[in-house]
């Protein structure tokens, strides 16, 4: 009897096991997607359906299985504001009724572009679609949360699976001109702005520019118009349109020549500090060719509306009777020249007014920082140079003043001694320095970087220097020409970026707070000579 019960128990266990296996087999037979739908689908995305005139645009959609019954969809190079962005929809429901059958897609989710703290874009998307063999069809709506004023838009995508991906790159990667009129490696490709600049020989005529042949390379598979090797008229900017291999991305490049600096005259001047009392307003020459001027007057102009005396040292006084840099009618050409005059000041340690201020004009700006004593670091200089500078030319008159005042310690510029054995002299100093981007106005050097003193050295960014110093009394305009000499190991290259800076002063040691009261330099018609 016991044996029968044991036999019956074993039979039940076997039957249960078989039933269990049968159920597992049924689950395994439940149809789910595999990796056969993974790939790139090329087609047209029509966005903004319901608007006046929605335009279908070429677009690629990347599909990849993420887990059972789910796929991820990624779309790159979507037009957004001034650029493009990528959007990924994760874990879209992807179901089939039979193996190898039509895949049904459905999803409703919120997508965020950017960080949680700085969301560039956020929207709710509802998507429905199918993948049938090699064809992807999808449609849905996008409800914008950020920015909310975009409201709700409908979209439709129809695409066919590619055998392999196509490139979305649409760039000019190399550019040159078949002509000896282009100097050295004188083409510069700016990828951020899609501009190409060419360095053109001085000998080039307008007729020469009408038949130049550009030779260039573009991204793999990209198309470009006009084509490389086509003779073109470069008397005006030339436009090249590059379209990516997949037809999705189009970039436009503009080709022009670098500007050459014209003669820098001192015809037109402007008032500075116009928001202050008229007594605090000084004048500067108008800028030209990205060159902006500043002067020694900027350092103390804010104090010029004070009384000339005070019994209390803590009360500011007027530091000088007049400004040191002004426009004068005694010009080499035209109606105005620049006058730079050294002045004996009403010095003040409290307000940072030295005993001697040399009249100084320089290419740059003045930034107030009383912690940056002795203030050489407040003078910021530099502006873009496109061609290799060879010399700085101009015209000048000069008369040195008396007596000569020498500052023995530049950390205490109010303390000077008179030296009858020292004659003052003018100084014009020009430097070229290397930068990462010559159009970046933050890439400048200070006076402390280019004028050597006992407490600083010239910046290692400086690649070339030129200098003219003279104490000779000149009552009529004389021409000067300052050779700009490059360091042997830092020769000029058109593949690199440079800025140029110069400062001009009526006292050659004005950066050391030394000079002669009344030393006067007249300056006109500056010109940077380039190759």
């Amino acid at each position: 009897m016991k044996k029968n019960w044991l036999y019956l128990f074993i039979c039940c266990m076997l039957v249960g096991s078989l039933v269990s296996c049968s159920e597992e087999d049924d689950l395994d037979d439940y149809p789910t997607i595999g990796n056969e739908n993974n790939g790139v689908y090329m087609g047209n995305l029509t966005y903004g359906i319901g608007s006046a005139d929605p335009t279908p645009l070429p677009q690629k959609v990347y599909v990849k299985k993420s887990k059972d019954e789910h796929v991820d969809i990624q779309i790159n190079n979507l037009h957004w504001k001034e650029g493009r962005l990528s959007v990924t929809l994760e874990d879209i429901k992807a179901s089939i009724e039979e193996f190898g059958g039509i895949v049904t897609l459905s999803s409703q989710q919120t997508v965020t572009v950017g960080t949680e703290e700085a969301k560039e874009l956020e929207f709710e998307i509802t998507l429905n679609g199918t993948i049938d063999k090699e064809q992807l069809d999808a449609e849905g709506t996008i409800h914008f949360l950020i920015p909310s004023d975009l409201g709700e838009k409908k979209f439709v995508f129809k695409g066919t699976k590619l055998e392999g991906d196509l490139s979305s790159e649409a760039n000019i990667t190399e550019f040159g001109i078949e002509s000896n009129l282009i100097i050295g490696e004188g083409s510069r490709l700016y990828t951020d702005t899609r501009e190409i600049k060419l360095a053109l020989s001085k000998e080039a005529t307008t007729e020469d520019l009408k038949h130049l042949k550009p030779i260039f390379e573009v991204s793999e598979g990209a198309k470009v118009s006009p084509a490389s090797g086509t003779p073109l008229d470069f008397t005006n900017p030339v436009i090249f349109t590059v379209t990516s291999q997949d037809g999705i991305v189009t970039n436009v490049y503009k080709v022009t020549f670098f500007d050459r600096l014209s003669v820098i005259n001192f015809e037109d001047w402007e008032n500075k500090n116009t928001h202050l009392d008229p007594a605090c307003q000084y004048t500067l020459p108008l800028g030209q060719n990205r060159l902006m001027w500043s002067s020694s007057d900027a350092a103390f102009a804010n104090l010029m509306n004070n009384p000339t005396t005070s019994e209390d040292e803590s009360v500011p006084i007027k530091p000088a009777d007049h400004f040191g840099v002004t426009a004068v009618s005694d010009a080499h050409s035209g109606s105005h020249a620049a006058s730079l005059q050294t002045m004996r000041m009403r010095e003040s340690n409290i307000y940072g007014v030295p005993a001697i201020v040399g009249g100084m004009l320089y290419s740059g700006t003045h930034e107030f920082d009383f912690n940056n004593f002795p203030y050489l670091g407040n003078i910021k200089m530099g502006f873009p140079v496109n061609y290799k500078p060879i010399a700085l030319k101009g015209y000048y008159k000069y008369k040195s003043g008396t007596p000569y005042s020498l500052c023995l310690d530049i950390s205490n510029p109010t303390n000077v001694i008179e030296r009858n054995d020292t004659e003052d002299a003018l100084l014009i100093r020009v430097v070229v320095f290397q930068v990462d981007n010559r159009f970046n106005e933050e890439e400048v050097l200070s006076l402390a970087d280019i004028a050597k003193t006992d407490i600083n050295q010239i910046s290692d960014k400086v690649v070339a220097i030129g200098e003219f110093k003279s104490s000779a009394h000149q009552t009529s305009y004389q021409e000067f020409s300052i050779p700009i000499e490059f360091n042997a190991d830092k020769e000029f290259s058109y593949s690199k970026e440079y800025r140029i800076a110069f400062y001009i002063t009526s006292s050659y040691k004005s950066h050391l707070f030394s000079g002669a009261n009344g030393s006067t330099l007249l300056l006109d018609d500056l010109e940077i000579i380039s190759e």
Side-chain angles (χ1 to χ4, degrees):
M1 186 67 179
K2 290 182 178 179
K3 290 182 178 180
N4 291 336
W5 279 107
L6 179 61
Y7 177 77
L8 180 61
F9 176 75
I10 292 173
C11 288
C12 289
M13 291 294 292
L14 289 172
V15 171
S17 177
L18 290 172
V19 171
S20 177
C21 289
S22 176
E23 289 175 350
E24 289 182 4
D25 289 342
D26 288 344
L27 289 174
D28 288 343
D29 290 340
Y30 183 81
T32 60
I33 63 169
N35 295 321
E36 65 276 4
N37 300 298
N38 290 1
V40 187
Y41 294 80
M42 183 75 207
N44 286 320
L45 175 66
T46 305
Y47 171 76
I49 295 173
S51 61
D53 186 23
T55 303
L57 297 174
Q59 188 62 60
K60 288 186 301 190
V61 172
Y62 294 79
V63 176
K64 184 178 181 181
K65 178 181 177 180
S66 58
K67 57 186 178 182
D68 282 348
E69 297 188 288
H70 291 85
V71 296
D72 292 342
I73 286 182
Q74 181 177 337
I75 306 175
N76 299 328
N77 293 301
L78 283 170
H79 288 275
W80 177 247
K81 295 183 179 179
E82 300 299 323
R84 298 172 181 270
L85 54 80
S86 297
V87 172
T88 300
L89 306 179
E90 297 181 338
D91 294 335
I92 295 172
K93 179 71 173 176
S95 58
I96 57 176
E97 294 184 358
E98 59 181 356
F99 289 112
I102 297 175
V103 180
T104 301
L105 305 173
S106 64
S107 178
Q108 186 170 356
Q109 56 184 278
T110 300
V111 177
T112 300
V113 177
T115 63
E116 189 64 29
E117 296 76 19
K119 295 179 181 179
E120 180 180 356
L121 176 66
E122 187 173 54
F123 58 86
E124 294 174 345
I125 183 170
T126 301
L127 178 144
N128 295 288
T130 60
I131 302 177
D132 185 3
K133 298 182 177 60
E134 304 291 306
Q135 183 72 30
L136 169 62
D137 294 291
E139 63 182 19
T141 59
I142 297 175
H143 177 70
F144 287 93
L145 303 176
I146 300 176
S148 59
D149 58 346
L150 292 180
E152 189 170 279
K153 307 289 184 182
K154 293 183 179 181
F155 67 89
V156 170
F157 175 80
K158 294 181 179 294
T160 303
K161 189 176 182 181
L162 300 175
E163 292 184 3
D165 200 358
L166 300 177
S167 172
S168 296
E169 297 294 318
N171 300 315
I172 292 178
T173 56
E174 294 182 18
F175 192 95
I177 297 286
E178 276 192 352
S179 173
N180 56 10
L181 297 174
I182 305 302
I183 303 172
E185 66 278 24
S187 65
R188 186 76 173 174
L189 174 59
Y190 296 92
T191 56
D192 291 343
T193 58
R194 298 190 183 93
E195 290 182 284
I196 298 171
K197 295 282 190 177
L198 302 173
L200 184 65
S201 169
K202 288 180 178 179
E203 284 69 42
T205 65
T206 301
E207 192 63 31
D208 291 331
L209 303 183
K210 291 182 177 180
H211 306 285
L212 294 179
K213 184 186 292 186
I215 304 296
F216 53 88
E217 299 289 336
V218 296
S219 304
E220 179 183 359
K223 297 178 181 179
V224 60
S225 177
S228 176
T230 305
L232 298 170
D233 183 351
F234 279 81
T235 54
N236 291 305
V238 177
I239 302 299
F240 292 89
T241 303
V242 187
T243 304
S244 62
Q245 186 182 31
D246 57 20
I248 294 174
V249 178
T250 298
N251 288 326
V252 175
Y253 286 79
K254 182 170 73 171
V255 182
T256 56
F257 296 107
F258 284 123
D259 294 329
R260 287 189 182 273
L261 291 173
S262 58
V263 174
I264 304 167
N265 59 51
F266 298 98
E267 289 300 290
D268 299 311
W269 293 63
E270 61 180 340
N271 286 344
K272 309 301 289 187
N273 279 354
T274 54
H275 60 292
L276 298 179
D277 186 277
C280 300
Q281 296 178 22
Y282 61 103
T283 58
L284 286 175
L286 279 177
Q288 300 168 249
N289 303 105
R290 286 184 174 266
L291 161 63
M292 300 303 296
W293 289 108
S294 191
S295 75
S296 48
D297 295 333
F300 61 87
N302 292 10
L303 300 173
M304 288 291 282
N305 63 341
N306 289 301
T308 57
T309 61
S310 174
E311 296 180 0
D312 186 350
E313 289 187 358
S314 65
V315 175
I317 60 174
K318 186 175 183 178
D321 292 331
H322 56 82
F323 289 111
V325 177
T326 56
V328 294
S329 58
D330 184 4
H332 172 258
S333 67
S335 56
H336 291 103
S339 172
L340 288 65
Q341 188 177 85
T342 302
M343 297 184 295
R344 184 66 165 86
M345 311 292 285
R346 300 181 184 99
E347 66 269 16
S348 168
N349 277 321
I350 296 176
Y351 293 97
V353 179
I356 290 290
V357 170
M360 182 185 292
L361 194 60
Y362 54 90
S363 56
T365 60
H366 183 275
E367 298 179 2
F368 286 97
D369 183 0
F370 288 106
N371 295 319
N372 199 1
F373 197 78
Y375 316 136
L376 301 185
N378 295 346
I379 295 174
K380 309 293 186 181
M381 290 184 281
F383 65 99
V385 59
N386 298 323
Y387 294 85
K388 179 181 179 179
I390 298 172
L392 177 66
K393 293 178 63 176
Y395 295 85
Y396 77 101
K397 290 183 180 182
Y398 186 68
K399 181 183 72 171
S400 61
T402 57
Y404 189 86
S405 298
L406 176 66
C407 177
L408 298 176
D409 180 5
I410 64 173
S411 65
N412 183 19
T414 61
N415 185 20
V416 296
I417 61 171
E418 292 186 2
R419 295 288 299 267
N420 294 322
D421 59 346
T422 303
E423 187 174 17
D424 208 354
L426 69 91
L427 177 68
I428 303 173
R429 187 174 177 84
V430 54
V431 302
V432 180
F433 57 99
Q434 190 174 337
V435 294
D436 293 327
N437 179 0
R438 64 181 175 275
F439 300 113
N440 181 2
E441 298 301 332
E442 300 298 318
E443 292 200 65
V444 293
L445 292 183
S446 70
L447 183 57
D449 294 320
I450 68 174
K452 186 177 179 181
T453 70
D454 293 337
I455 60 175
N456 70 279
Q457 297 294 322
I458 293 175
S459 169
D460 57 9
K461 292 183 179 181
V462 173
V463 298
I465 297 176
E467 187 174 285
F468 173 60
K469 175 186 172 185
S470 175
S471 60
H473 186 192
Q474 301 289 355
T475 57
S476 60
Y477 274 101
Q478 302 294 316
E479 184 179 21
F480 66 85
S481 180
I482 307 170
I484 301 174
E485 298 177 353
F486 283 78
N487 298 343
D489 59 340
K490 296 181 179 180
E491 274 298 320
F492 188 93
S493 170
Y494 283 95
S495 64
K496 298 177 181 178
E497 299 275 289
Y498 301 94
R499 302 195 106 201
I500 192 169
F502 41 79
Y503 70 93
I504 303 151
T505 178
S506 52
S507 291
Y508 72 104
K509 285 190 175 181
S510 61
H511 64 291
L512 302 177
F513 307 106
S514 300
N517 182 46
S519 290
T520 303
L521 167 65
L522 300 189
L523 185 73
D524 204 4
D525 295 335
L526 287 180
E527 184 178 7
I528 297 174
I529 307 300
S530 57
E531 71 172 2

